Amino acid sequence: MPPVTVRQAFEVALQHHQAGRLAEAEALYRQILAVEPRHPDALHLLGVIAQQVGRNDAAVDLIRQAISSDPNRPTFYSNLGVALSAQDRAEDAIAAVRRALELKPDFAEAHCNLGKALMQQSRTDEAIAAYRRAIAFQAGYAEAHYCLGNALRHQGRDEDSIAAYQQALRLKPNYSEAHNNLGSALRACRRTDESIAAYRRAIEAAADNAQAHNNLGVALSGQGKWEEALVAYRRAAQLKPDMAEAHSNVGDALRNVGQIDESITSYRRALQIKPDYSEAHNNLAVAYKDRSELDEALVSYRRAMTLEPHNFTTHSNLIYTLHFDPRSSASSIADEHRRWDRQFAEPLRKFHKLHLNIRDPERRLRIGYVSPDFRQHVISHFLLPLLEAHDHAGLEIYCYASVKRADEITGRIRKNADVWRDVLVLSDEELAERIRGDEIDILVDLTQHMGDNRLSVFARKPAPVQVAWLGYPGSTGLSAMDYRLTDAQMEPEGAAWSESVEQVVRLPDSWFCFDPIDEFPVPGVLPALRAGHVTFGCLNAFCKVNDAVLERWTAVMRAVENSRLLLRCPQGAAQARVREFFAARGIAAERVELFAWTPTRAEFLKLFERMDIALDPFPYNGGTTTCEALWMGIPVLTLPGEGIVSRIGLSILMACGMREFVAHTEEDYVRLAASLATDLPR
């Protein structure tokens, strides 16, 4: 090939390269090298193509050959740094890019590449300085503004990162990655509507941006728009089938719209792609729990804990799930509590400090309540009566709210607080300091080991007196927790099975004080009078239903001829399992009615109109659901067991003066059900 033809070929190759036609460009570069083996530009750009398509070893080798042919080209060293970074050789990459800057100190692209290599080593301050130098030399460099935004986000400076992303987008309006990361920064600042708009613009700019579709789903799910989120997650998984996070998120959305079987399939797909994906194991465990497959749930939780031993949330999920398992003893749950405390709370003792609260008996005591659930949630039925009855002359009420989606109940709770702190974006360390700064006297945990708990705040002991109440009636296992509220029915003095690290405070009547809050349906005619048969029912979460519970209910249905059972149960495998269970015991299919997901609370409450007698599950009794049934005039039958959560029904019924619905033995339980079923006036 004559020299003039080499130049022409190179120009054509460059045009192909700039147009993204990499295969054509590569072929021409190789033709040039066949004629001029040491052609520096062909070697260099062939190396750039190799790096662009992920052949990083080849990229490094080719660019080094280019440097060998022409050792004074700053662009070669800068792109060598990019290729070395792709090999995770950050130190070598930094050295290469610094050589580029020795040759050309005002080389903006090299400053930007230096920043990227420094970020690989988490040298964020230095990276930010490098990006700012790139911008100083080339103010219109959109990528440098974008990278600066990423580094600022890495430091938790979300508001500053928003400004950087916005500048990148002013320079390059169709910059999909910048729109996407702007959306994430806006979401971190709880500007959710704006974040959704940013994700949508990222998708408009690049419809194949799988990460933007996935992030859009995350933002929509944060607003409770699970159906819309599901569409976004599925599109992300379609665009990038090996994106484990998208498949796991599809599972989350499916689970939240009641499609539990399908969610399990999605979680398993995520784990096929990424077997060590701790979050997917945790989410799979939640889905198994929802199907009341507790053995599988506990295995998945423990697998997640093995993969990510410092994740206290997964361990809390395990502890909470153990309460539903009939084989879990109080001592085994206490052992798990101790492990949690030892691993996650004990290291935080170093943050315990002297409390400087003013010891003046004449001043108002400051009471702080900590919860993510100051909203339409089961705890609100019991918390609102307390807050609305507080004596504000003697008490100053603080609410520390980690609420993701506020609603009208949030407003009612907030109205009863003297001081409202919105603390969702605060870390546990920051929240503990805020509470300490507020000089709270008594700090109350309303969540325990349930979702989005802030137990590590309490582990830092930000208040002199700390109390556990309401999430569920059991111990936190937290050595930093001073007291726990209970009552004498749930936890009688001297009970051999009672294990608590907190000092137990027994309320005089009941742990419960129920406010219906919602506009309940008006109780009507007894369903049995209309239907000609008695309908038993249980509207508790299905994770409270196990084979022993179903055996007890089978005995009830045998004892009451032609009776029916209305049971809340997820569609699919769980319903098939329940039907097979009853069929194997001679209970006809038409006598068992299963309902799955109810999208609105009003629809859920209407189900009480179809029940004559409610049956309490075990070992974890109904709480809110029992109160709701009684509010609707429906008697609830319970058989207390050993363990606090096995005596919730006893506590509620005794407080209501309904001792006659408390059974003492299995036989007594069946006798009571049969007796009540034949006494319709009662």
Side-chain angles (χ1 to χ4, degrees):
M1 184 183 295
V4 65
T5 308
V6 169
R7 285 197 299 272
Q8 289 174 342
F10 183 78
E11 288 172 3
V12 173
L14 196 58
Q15 290 171 6
H16 285 319
H17 196 165
Q18 291 170 342
R21 297 190 293 272
L22 302 185
E24 292 94 325
E26 182 175 357
L28 282 171
Y29 291 141
R30 291 193 183 281
Q31 287 181 35
I32 292 166
L33 290 171
V35 176
E36 292 187 22
R38 292 180 59 78
H39 192 293
D41 289 305
L43 286 165
H44 168 244
L45 292 175
L46 198 57
V48 170
I49 288 176
Q51 192 276 319
Q52 287 175 305
V53 299
R55 302 198 307 268
N56 297 309
D57 291 346
V60 169
D61 180 58
L62 286 162
I63 297 173
R64 286 197 189 282
Q65 289 182 52
I67 291 171
S68 177
S69 292
D70 189 346
N72 295 311
R73 298 276 287 276
T75 304
F76 292 2
Y77 290 100
S78 182
N79 285 336
L80 175 61
V82 173
L84 289 164
S85 288
Q87 290 183 321
D88 291 324
R89 295 166 60 185
E91 199 61 51
D92 292 337
I94 290 168
V97 180
R98 289 199 191 283
R99 176 59 183 146
L101 291 168
E102 287 173 5
L103 294 167
K104 187 179 180 183
D106 63 349
F107 190 1
E109 185 178 342
H111 283 291
C112 191
N113 288 341
L114 176 61
K116 293 176 186 177
L118 289 165
M119 283 299 296
Q120 283 187 297
Q121 294 189 328
S122 297
R123 294 159 65 178
T124 312
D125 287 337
E126 294 174 75
I128 288 172
Y131 295 138
R132 293 197 188 281
R133 283 193 294 273
I135 293 165
F137 288 119
Q138 187 178 330
Y141 190 3
E143 186 180 5
H145 289 282
Y146 165 74
C147 291
L148 175 61
N150 293 343
L152 291 166
R153 276 215 76 207
H154 189 264
Q155 287 189 331
R157 296 163 61 185
D158 292 303
E159 292 289 356
D160 292 335
S161 76
I162 289 170
Y165 292 135
Q166 288 172 335
Q167 180 59 25
L169 290 165
R170 277 190 282 271
L171 296 164
K172 187 179 176 182
N174 290 323
Y175 198 162
S176 181
E177 292 85 355
H179 281 297
N180 177 63
N181 289 9
L182 172 62
S184 297
L186 289 165
R187 182 162 53 86
C189 294
R190 301 189 64 193
R191 295 160 62 179
T192 309
D193 289 339
E194 294 175 76
S195 80
I196 289 171
Y199 292 136
R200 293 197 190 282
R201 284 193 290 272
I203 292 165
E204 288 171 8
D208 61 348
N209 188 334
Q211 191 61 58
H213 285 283
N214 185 69
N215 288 344
L216 173 61
V218 172
L220 290 166
S221 65
Q223 292 186 329
K225 297 176 180 176
W226 290 106
E227 295 283 2
E228 293 180 58
L230 181 57
V231 173
Y233 290 143
R234 279 181 163 155
R235 182 58 180 149
Q238 182 184 36
L239 287 166
K240 194 172 182 183
D242 62 347
M243 187 178 184
E245 181 186 0
H247 290 284
S248 183
N249 287 341
V250 168
D252 287 345
L254 288 166
R255 182 169 53 81
N256 277 280
V257 297
Q259 298 181 45
I260 309 300
D261 293 357
E262 294 84 351
S263 78
I264 288 174
T265 300
S266 290
Y267 293 136
R268 286 174 174 163
R269 176 63 185 134
L271 291 168
Q272 286 174 348
I273 298 165
K274 188 178 177 182
D276 61 350
Y277 191 2
S278 173
E279 185 177 351
H281 282 288
N282 175 80
N283 295 344
L284 177 61
V286 175
Y288 279 134
K289 176 181 74 70
D290 290 347
R291 283 203 320 201
S292 198
E293 296 175 23
L294 300 182
D295 286 348
E296 292 84 350
L298 294 172
V299 167
S300 291
Y301 280 135
R302 293 193 189 282
R303 177 62 178 149
M305 289 164 57
T306 300
L307 290 167
E308 196 175 355
H310 300 298
N311 188 330
F312 71 84
T313 298
T314 301
H315 201 165
S316 282
N317 289 345
L318 171 77
I319 288 171
Y320 182 52
T321 300
L322 287 171
H323 288 79
F324 299 99
D325 186 358
R327 293 168 304 175
S328 294
S329 64
S331 61
S332 67
I333 294 174
D335 287 342
E336 208 62 62
H337 278 144
R338 281 189 283 271
R339 274 190 284 274
W340 195 101
D341 189 60
R342 190 165 53 247
Q343 182 170 357
F344 302 111
E346 287 296 331
L348 299 176
R349 280 186 170 273
K350 62 187 177 184
F351 295 109
H352 292 200
K353 305 174 187 175
L354 181 67
H355 297 99
L356 303 177
N357 304 38
I358 299 170
R359 295 172 178 265
D360 179 1
E362 299 302 317
R363 72 170 176 84
R364 289 197 298 170
L365 278 177
R366 290 185 177 178
I367 314 296
Y369 294 97
V370 180
S371 177
D373 300 320
F374 294 134
R375 56 184 175 85
Q376 181 65 261
H377 186 274
V378 293
I379 75 156
S380 302
H381 293 282
F382 308 99
L383 179 63
L384 265 173
L386 171 69
L387 294 181
E388 291 177 345
H390 262 319
D391 172 18
H392 290 266
L395 304 173
E396 191 173 3
I397 306 304
Y398 284 65
C399 285
Y400 297 94
S402 302
V403 178
K404 293 177 180 176
R405 295 192 300 276
D407 55 29
E408 60 178 304
I409 300 301
T410 308
R412 282 186 62 178
I413 294 172
R414 184 170 189 163
K415 187 173 66 174
N416 287 280
D418 295 293
V419 178
W420 179 271
R421 303 280 195 218
D422 193 344
V423 299
L424 179 62
V425 299
L426 297 186
S427 68
D428 287 346
E429 182 179 359
E430 291 168 334
L431 177 52
E433 285 305 307
R434 173 64 58 86
I435 291 167
R436 183 179 293 278
D438 286 337
E439 296 186 355
I440 297 300
D441 299 302
I442 302 174
L443 188 66
V444 184
D445 171 41
L446 300 174
T447 312
Q448 286 98 304
H449 286 281
M450 296 177 71
D452 299 319
N453 73 72
R454 306 298 291 261
L455 284 176
S456 72
V457 171
F458 287 82
R460 289 172 164 84
K461 193 69 172 177
V465 177
Q466 302 193 147
V467 182
W469 176 59
L470 198 54
Y472 57 89
S475 176
T476 63
L478 201 65
S479 55
M481 198 73 73
D482 301 295
Y483 299 96
R484 179 169 56 80
L485 303 186
T486 184
D487 65 44
Q489 301 297 339
M490 285 194 300
E491 202 166 357
E493 290 193 45
W497 43 262
S498 179
E499 296 206 30
S500 177
V501 299
E502 309 93 345
Q503 185 172 332
V504 170
V505 177
R506 293 177 177 81
L507 298 175
D509 296 308
S510 175
W511 189 76
F512 296 87
C513 184
F514 177 74
D515 182 332
I517 298 179
D518 305 280
E519 189 172 321
F520 269 59
V522 177
V525 176
L526 189 71
L529 297 178
R530 294 194 307 266
H533 57 74
V534 167
T535 299
F536 297 100
C538 177
L539 305 189
N540 285 276
F542 187 66
C543 58
K544 294 185 177 183
V545 177
N546 52 65
D547 284 357
V549 170
L550 294 176
E551 288 285 9
R552 183 182 295 174
W553 293 348
T554 298
V556 168
M557 296 184 74
R558 284 173 175 160
V560 181
E561 187 177 355
N562 202 34
S563 60
R564 302 291 195 271
L565 176 66
L566 177 65
L567 179 61
R568 181 180 179 184
C569 178
Q571 63 185 7
Q575 290 195 1
R577 190 171 78 247
V578 169
R579 294 190 190 284
E580 289 170 8
F581 185 97
F582 282 115
R585 287 153 182 79
I587 304 296
E590 63 269 16
R591 295 182 64 189
V592 180
E593 182 180 355
L594 306 177
F595 75 94
W597 184 67
T598 52
T600 68
R601 179 153 175 78
E603 290 175 276
F604 173 76
L605 294 174
K606 290 284 285 183
L607 291 167
F608 284 105
E609 296 181 323
R610 300 173 53 193
M611 291 168 49
D612 297 296
I613 301 166
L615 302 175
D616 206 10
F618 62 90
Y620 202 134
N621 294 169
T624 308
T625 310
T626 296
C627 293
E628 290 167 334
L630 294 172
W631 187 263
M632 287 293 292
I634 301 168
V636 181
L637 300 184
T638 192
L639 174 58
E642 291 190 350
I644 304 170
V645 296
S646 297
R647 300 171 66 83
I648 298 172
L650 170 67
S651 172
I652 296 171
L653 289 171
M654 293 296 283
C656 292
M658 302 176 75
R659 181 189 299 265
E660 68 270 29
F661 298 126
V662 178
H664 301 289
T665 64
E666 291 269 359
E667 295 75 17
D668 191 31
Y669 185 91
V670 176
R671 182 191 60 78
L672 279 174
S675 173
L676 191 57
T678 55
D679 187 359
L680 297 188
R682 173 74 178 101

